[in-house]
């Protein structure tokens, strides 16, 4: 069976058995059923529990796997570790080929756990008779339609974790994680906090007793619905294959991998060992490996999701990624300009010098008492003062400056500071400003401040149009720098972008 | 006149003249009057404008400074740069000793600006006849009472900037900034986004033609209402004095300085020069200078305010600052534990080994299939599973683990991961949990995730009780590390904390 077919068996089952299904809402075996049924799983469900009677959510309880008597494509286990080897034998006996184990207590559970793992290896003939996802994982999520799709039939997908999701959006992100939290509490936080972020898959691979990160990564590389692949790993199952796949991705025009590696320090490795049984790895070897991969690195979960969001937006809007790192900025605050210039330098970017054409325009727009910079960082405050003195709309001047910077041949993108506040009774039509800036093929990033409700409102508007926006200057600069890293040494990538940009 | 008396003249005027006062709400000279009057300035106001008639907000317009005919303690200028030298002469002639210049176009405005500055130097006899704040600044703010104080008379203070504030809280932070934005748009964003953060002063020093950062820093060091002094600078006016004051602060039990230096790169210095006319400084010299100061360094505005918030809270709650950097953590996610362990290592902290007493307790609380760590990082998920199986409230087990860690002699603080979500129908009484954890003299930091409304609600609750809380692991660890840096080599500090802790 090909690698793709194996994953398809997990992602596209027609029938699922939930071993450890329960009527008790405090139990994971109950919440898995909630997650499946409320999110519109279209196939059959067989709840299995020797002690349960009757039915749950319309599905009849079965005493055992053998009792089901129908074809089962996927079995999900939410039971204690010790009885799992026996149940796996029962799965094999009943022709089940795919098992998702959510319980822990194997590689992460000391000598007892390791003995259980060895037993499973033996029973499955080293995973030839049956393939396993997990153990110690929170399952996976495959999103077919938004949770608020007007057509109820289109909502949902396949949700196998024991933390139920009720709010989500389908998109171009395919997440692979060795922390269950990223298909659980943290992902639900992301869905709720950043409702514009769309996911296609989220896969918690757990201890990866059998299937690991490379199996899912390979699948995502060949799945056109996925552009951005954030990965959290505590250990590499097959470093050589991982590097190979990352290098392939780097050559593909529509794929970006972002990696967060946990357990890079000695104390982190001790933590990782008790978490997923990951073995200690030499930090220098890991560093070298990650460098060889050419993937974007994120150093914590927040950064991982923020970078995924940025890349996701730029793929959706078909922007041309910067190659040289030449960026421009308009700011209403000189202080923010100074700090940004330091950050631009820190992250290897540059504000290039302006052409005579841009300088001539700015000579007109700036007042005599405050000459403009000759490089692509413009403090626009003086132009606003001059415009107001001459009764010209500041919006028109702002548009001229932004357009001039984006039209500079050396400039590859724009940072725009936006102060939004109700007290200023601005007449600005944000939506038309956003639409206009989005008509450029160069990426525009916003730094937003103002009163909290206005900031929330304007960020929501930018997210709606897939324009990256930040509340810290450093995040804005760091995210732009990641685009440069991604397009570097990868002409094909940028050329594809150019050919396909609007 | 002593340095304190000079600043007092600005901070405690009985009468203020606003030169450039205007009825036009689009003009800064109008907004300064709004800021003064709506925020309850208790003294007299003299609006000055040769072209205005009648009165504004109940105060009669004067044609000129000489026209006022009453004592003026402070004059605020919102007029073009070219007429300022003449007006300053008029101030001197009328006995005015303190002038705040908000206009730009001096050190930052090329040759014309520099000539204007020299003229002012001459007129004021090198600032002996009259003292100047600014130019190119957004004024200062002194908060006497919260904007929502039930007693209307207590609200407000002295608000001299041209960005009006309507929502703010009095607290123990005294901000000094060479970016007007930090007494303008950004500060209003902070007030609105983090309404629990209390400020006593915010001072935008602009080009510091006369008064500079050391004058205000010295004042704050001797003002008991200030504990935390965040500073943004683009250049040092008097580096030697700055170092001296920072060293003094380091010895004081109740003062913490946090510094963000803009213009550390060549491009940043070019930006800074056009912003505040700050001269280029050798980056290595600056680094050395900052190291000599022993101040906490922040690398962007967001970090500056976040660190200020953390220190502000710990001063209010009288926590004992960590010295060794030994911290503990409870997490419901092993992945978050692994990443945190890496971060703890990155920031020079440590999870110390546990005593036999703590290990014995955890032996009881953890299930057989998942042994606990022998160091101060505890993945509590297995204990929750065991508790639920034994029908024990998870809250009770959680409390036991937190208490045991905080009572470990080597442990100096706790990181607590908290997942808050409506779907879990938690019975936890957050307020009692927070109150209990706050009864320890060791600082407790929270990392919060869950659905967005619950996160907002719980963070609000933590802020109300002055408990630092974060949505990224790195910020949590980095802020704790700053406490260690602040107490290092400063026994007096920590001993004071111990003596004064509850």
């Amino acid at each position: 069976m090909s690698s793709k077919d194996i994953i398809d068996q997990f992602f596209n089952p027609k029938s699922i058995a939930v071993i450890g299904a329960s009527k008790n809402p405090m139990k994971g075996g109950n919440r898995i059923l909630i997650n499946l049924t409320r999110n519109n799983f279209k196939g059959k469900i067989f709840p299995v529990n020797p002690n349960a009677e009757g039915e749950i959510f319309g599905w009849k309880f079965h005493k055992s796997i053998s009792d089901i008597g129908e074809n089962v494509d996927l079995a999900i286990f939410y039971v204690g570790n010790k009885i799992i080897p026996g149940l796996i034998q029962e799965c094999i006996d009943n022709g089940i080929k795919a098992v998702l184990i959510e319980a822990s207590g194997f590689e992460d559970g000391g000598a007892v756990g390791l003995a259980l793992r060895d037993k499973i290896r033996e029973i499955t003939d080293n995973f030839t008779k049956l393939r396993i996802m997990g153990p110690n994982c929170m399952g996976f999520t495959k999103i077919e339609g938004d949770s608020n799709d007007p057509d109820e039939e289109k909502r949902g997908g396949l949700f196998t974790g024991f933390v139920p999701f009720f709010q989500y959006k389908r998109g171009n992100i395919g997440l692979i994680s060795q922390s269950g939290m990223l298909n659980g509490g943290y992902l639900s936080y992301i869905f709720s906090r950043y409702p514009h972020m769309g996911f296609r898959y989220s896969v918690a691979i757990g201890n990866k007793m059998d299937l690991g990160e490379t199996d899912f990564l390979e699948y995502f590389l060949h799945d056109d619905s996925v552009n951005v692949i954030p990965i959290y790993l505590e250990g590499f199952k097959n470093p050589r294959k991982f590097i190979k796949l990352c290098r392939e991705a780097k050559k593909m025009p529509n794929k970006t991998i972002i990696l967060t590696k946990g357990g890079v320090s000695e104390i982190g490795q001790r933590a990782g060992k008790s978490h997923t049984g990951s073995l200690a790895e030499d930090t220098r070897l890991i560093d070298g490996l990650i460098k060889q991969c050419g993937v974007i690195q994120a150093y914590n979960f927040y950064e991982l999701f923020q970078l995924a969001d940025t890349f996701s937006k730029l793929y959706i809007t078909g922007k041309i990624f910067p190659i040289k790192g030449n960026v421009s900025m308009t700011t209403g605050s000189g202080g923010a300009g100074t700090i940004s210039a330091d950050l631009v330098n820190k992250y290897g970017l540059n504000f290039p010098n302006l052409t005579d054409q841009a300088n001539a325009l700015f000579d007109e727009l700036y007042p005599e008492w405050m000459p403009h910079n000759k490089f692509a960082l413009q403090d626009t405050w003086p132009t606003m003062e001059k415009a107001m003195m001459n009764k010209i709309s500041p919006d028109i001047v702002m548009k001229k400056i932004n357009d001039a910077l984006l039209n500079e041949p050396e400039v590859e993108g724009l940072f725009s500071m936006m102060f939004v506040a109700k007290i200023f009774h601005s007449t600005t039509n944000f939506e038309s400003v956003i639409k206009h800036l989005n008509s450029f093929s160069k990426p525009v990033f916003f730094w937003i401040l103002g009163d909290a409700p206005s900031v929330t409102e304007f960020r929501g508007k930018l997210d709606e149009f897939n324009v990256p926006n930040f509340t810290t200057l450093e995040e804005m600069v760091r995210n732009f720098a990641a685009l440069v890293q991604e397009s570097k040494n990868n002409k094909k990538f940028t050329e594809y972008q150019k050919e396909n940009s609007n």
Side-chain angles (χ1 to χ4, degrees), chain A:
Chain A
M1 202 184 276
S2 80
S3 177
K4 182 181 178 309
D5 290 342
I6 290 160
I7 306 294
D8 271 332
Q9 211 159 18
F10 283 86
F11 283 174
N12 303 305
K14 290 199 174 62
S15 56
I16 298 176
V18 179
I19 323 299
S22 169
K23 286 183 181 173
N24 180 352
M26 292 301 288
K27 297 217 166 162
N30 179 275
R31 294 200 298 266
I32 292 170
L33 286 166
I34 291 177
N35 215 5
L36 284 169
T37 54
R38 294 235 186 130
N39 291 313
N40 227 352
F41 172 62
K42 298 273 173 35
K44 284 184 182 175
I45 297 173
F46 307 108
V48 177
N49 188 332
N51 307 312
E53 301 286 343
E55 54 179 44
I56 180 165
F57 306 135
W59 298 102
K60 191 179 149 288
F61 270 108
H62 298 266
K63 293 287 173 196
S64 71
I65 297 164
S66 313
D67 253 18
I68 297 173
E70 286 191 59
N71 184 62
V72 173
D73 287 336
L74 172 65
I76 302 175
F77 282 31
Y78 197 91
V79 293
N81 56 346
K82 288 187 183 163
I83 61 168
I84 286 179
L87 290 168
I88 288 195
Q89 182 61 58
E90 208 179 336
C91 284
I92 294 172
D93 296 343
N94 285 278
I96 299 175
K97 294 270 191 296
V99 165
L100 164 61
I101 304 178
E102 305 201 4
S104 51
F106 295 90
E107 294 82 351
D108 50 315
V112 177
L114 289 175
L116 289 168
R117 180 201 58 188
D118 293 343
K119 184 84 189 152
I120 293 173
R121 269 202 185 143
E122 193 191 313
I123 291 171
T124 61
D125 199 3
N126 223 5
F127 311 114
T128 52
K129 292 182 178 167
L130 172 150
R131 303 305 300 257
I132 290 175
M133 254 191 87
N136 186 19
C137 86
M138 281 224 200
F140 63 88
T141 299
K142 178 183 179 185
I143 301 179
E144 301 288 357
D146 302 351
S147 57
N148 62 355
D149 195 295
D151 182 348
E152 280 195 34
E153 270 306 293
K154 289 191 180 155
R155 294 178 191 169
L158 176 52
F159 290 64
T160 67
F162 58 88
V163 174
F165 293 106
F166 302 109
Q167 184 197 358
Y168 43 81
K169 190 172 179 301
R170 176 173 168 160
N172 60 356
I173 301 173
L175 173 68
I176 299 171
S177 162
Q178 206 171 348
S179 170
M181 183 183 71
L182 298 194
N183 191 42
Y186 200 84
L187 190 61
S188 76
Y189 166 65
I190 294 289
F191 285 153
S192 166
R193 178 77 185 74
Y194 309 100
H196 66 279
M197 271 183 86
F199 285 74
R200 177 65 169 144
Y201 302 102
S202 165
V203 181
I205 56 178
N207 296 8
K208 43 196 183 181
M209 187 186 279
D210 173 18
L211 295 171
E213 62 274 15
T214 53
D215 301 290
F216 295 97
L217 177 54
E218 189 166 23
Y219 188 89
F220 292 169
L221 289 185
H222 298 100
D223 182 331
D224 282 341
S225 65
V226 175
N227 293 133
V228 187
I229 309 169
I231 304 179
Y232 171 69
L233 286 185
E234 300 201 342
F236 293 98
K237 191 174 166 75
N238 184 344
R240 200 172 293 218
K241 178 141 193 206
F242 189 80
I243 293 176
K244 184 177 156 284
L245 291 172
C246 289
R247 283 186 173 159
E248 262 176 47
K250 189 92 173 126
K251 283 183 217 140
M252 297 171 85
N254 57 346
K255 304 284 178 184
T256 292
I257 299 172
I258 308 155
L259 176 66
T260 297
K261 175 68 178 67
V264 294
S265 65
E266 190 269 335
I267 185 99
Q269 292 184 346
R270 279 162 72 198
K273 184 157 169 31
S274 66
H275 176 219
T276 52
S278 294
L279 297 178
E281 288 162 335
D282 186 305
T283 306
R284 280 167 310 174
L285 280 181
I286 298 172
D287 277 351
L289 196 140
I290 291 170
K291 279 212 184 75
Q292 276 187 54
C293 293
V295 298
I296 307 290
Q297 230 182 321
Y299 295 94
N300 55 63
F301 300 123
Y302 175 80
E303 218 173 84
L304 182 69
F305 282 90
Q306 188 178 59
L307 285 163
D309 187 22
T310 297
F311 279 100
S312 167
K313 283 169 168 163
L314 295 200
Y315 278 115
I316 292 170
T317 52
K319 296 293 176 199
I320 296 178
F321 285 39
I323 308 174
K324 298 178 184 170
N326 283 336
V327 70
S328 62
M329 180 169 188
T330 48
T331 170
S333 155
T338 302
I339 288 282
S340 299
D342 284 335
L343 290 167
V344 154
N345 177 71
K346 173 178 170 185
Y347 286 98
L349 304 176
N350 189 38
F351 290 127
N353 289 328
L354 298 175
T355 60
D356 292 346
Q357 198 185 352
N359 279 322
L361 173 71
F362 295 164
D363 284 345
E364 265 174 49
L365 300 177
Y366 279 75
E368 185 206 5
W369 52 266
M370 181 62 99
H372 60 87
N373 284 335
K374 301 279 190 272
F375 54 101
L377 164 62
Q378 297 300 317
D379 183 347
T380 55
W381 183 259
T383 67
M384 302 293 110
E385 293 256 329
K386 182 171 176 179
M388 283 188 287
M389 264 172 21
N390 296 328
K391 304 204 192 309
I392 297 169
S393 157
D395 291 352
I396 291 172
V397 175
M398 201 61 228
K399 182 175 177 302
K400 280 187 183 174
I401 300 175
N402 282 333
D403 286 6
L405 289 173
L406 281 166
N407 284 323
E408 282 288 275
E410 276 297 306
V411 164
E412 299 176 302
L414 173 70
F415 295 150
S416 175
M417 168 182 165
M418 182 72 87
F419 180 70
V420 287
K422 295 216 162 59
I423 51 161
F424 276 112
H425 314 287
S426 171
T427 54
T428 315
N429 180 338
F430 288 142
E431 204 162 305
S432 71
V433 170
I434 297 170
K435 278 182 182 163
H436 172 68
L437 288 173
N438 241 359
S439 71
F440 289 88
S441 57
K442 299 175 184 178
V444 178
F445 286 14
F446 277 89
W447 181 57
I448 310 293
L449 65 163
D451 65 66
S454 302
V455 168
T456 302
E457 186 190 331
F458 188 57
R459 296 192 72 183
K461 197 50 93 183
L462 288 166
D463 287 333
E464 190 186 320
F465 285 92
N466 289 297
V467 179
N469 58 86
F470 305 87
T471 54
T472 92
L473 292 168
E474 183 141 15
E475 290 172 8
M476 177 173 73
V477 176
R478 192 253 188 276
N479 273 260
F480 197 88
L483 304 181
V484 180
Q485 192 201 326
E486 179 66 354
S487 59
K488 202 174 263 180
N489 307 324
N490 187 7
K491 280 216 163 167
K492 194 181 159 209
F493 186 88
T494 318
E495 270 159 21
Y496 171 90
Q497 294 286 330
K498 273 187 189 147
E499 280 156 23
N500 289 273
S501 72
N502 41 359

